[in-house]
Amino acid sequence: MRLATVQSATTVRIEGATTDSTVWRSAVPLVAGDVVLAETIGTQLVVVSSLSVPRPACGRAEFRAVRATTSTTLAASSWTTYPLESLVTNIGGGTYNTSTFKYYVPSAGLYLASGRVRIADNAAARSVGLGIGVTNADGPDVAWQQLGGAARDSMQIVRLMRLAAGDDVRLFLYSEGKTFATHYYGSAASGQSLHLLKVAD
């Protein structure tokens, strides 16, 4: 038997090898990054067992919404929920209100959240706050930077959030002293998005 590192649901990298090997049969689920014991039976590779510490069980939940239509303009000097009107992904039972642009979390746990906005090209410079949360307000998890004053400018926020079932999460923004017109790419990949992924219970 030989040690191997799982590369995908069907391949492993045998210790000392420079290429991946396709698994014919496995006695354990193949999770990328796990270390396993593999054995060759005839010409077929079989994974016999896993040596990695088992991961805690976590009910899957994933959500993603984007701005898919034309550009929108947000008010100046006001905390505003960003209008992401198009639901792209919703796994795990959560709900998304396309009128209020809030995602209602399906189950309590730790979530990895990311949001992104792109200001209209050649916009005037201003200070912008970008946040993800259950309240539109400044706080320690809100990102601030200057946007505008350049031909093309965008901003992203990534954070871990401990959420309860039913929490209403949204992407929100503050544009200091000037309205915030967002760039539109002319397709569903508008550049404005909110993505949440549950990573632990």
Side-chain angles (χ1 to χ4, degrees):
M1 279 190 260
R2 294 168 290 174
L3 289 174
T5 303
V6 177
Q7 304 298 309
S8 72
T10 58
T11 60
V12 298
R13 178 73 60 90
I14 302 294
E15 187 177 37
T18 57
T19 58
D20 297 339
S21 300
T22 301
V23 175
W24 175 61
R25 187 172 295 170
S26 180
V28 295
L30 297 181
V31 178
D34 279 0
V35 177
V36 296
L37 283 174
E39 181 67 55
T40 303
I41 300 176
T43 60
Q44 307 294 338
L45 185 67
V46 177
V47 172
V48 178
S49 65
S50 173
L51 301 181
S52 296
V53 175
R55 289 173 166 75
C58 170
R60 185 176 179 200
E62 182 179 3
F63 160 81
R64 184 168 186 260
V66 301
R67 180 77 187 174
T69 56
T70 57
S71 175
T72 188
T73 300
L74 304 186
S77 303
S78 175
W79 289 104
T80 307
T81 298
Y82 196 91
L84 303 170
E85 89 296 345
S86 182
L87 178 62
V88 177
T89 304
N90 190 8
I91 299 168
T95 58
Y96 185 59
N97 187 318
T98 53
S99 297
T100 62
F101 316 109
K102 297 175 182 178
Y103 170 64
Y104 292 85
V105 174
S107 58
L110 184 66
Y111 287 76
L112 177 64
S114 67
R116 180 169 53 113
V117 295
R118 178 173 166 182
I119 197 168
D121 292 348
N122 301 305
R126 85 289 307 275
S127 185
V128 172
L130 184 63
I132 300 169
V134 297
T135 304
N136 294 6
D138 199 3
D141 294 308
V142 172
W144 284 91
Q145 70 180 56
Q146 179 173 291
L147 281 188
R152 298 176 181 85
D153 226 346
S154 64
M155 184 175 180
Q156 184 167 2
I157 182 171
V158 178
R159 62 172 296 205
L160 283 168
M161 307 174 66
R162 177 66 64 180
L163 296 168
D167 278 352
D168 54 338
V169 180
R170 78 296 300 263
L171 181 71
F172 57 90
L173 182 143
Y174 186 97
S175 179
E176 187 77 58
K178 297 178 175 64
T179 60
F180 190 97
T182 54
H183 179 82
Y184 177 56
Y185 289 86
S187 72
S190 68
Q192 337 301 332
S193 64
L194 172 62
H195 191 180
L196 273 80
L197 179 67
K198 187 175 183 182
V199 294
D201 287 330

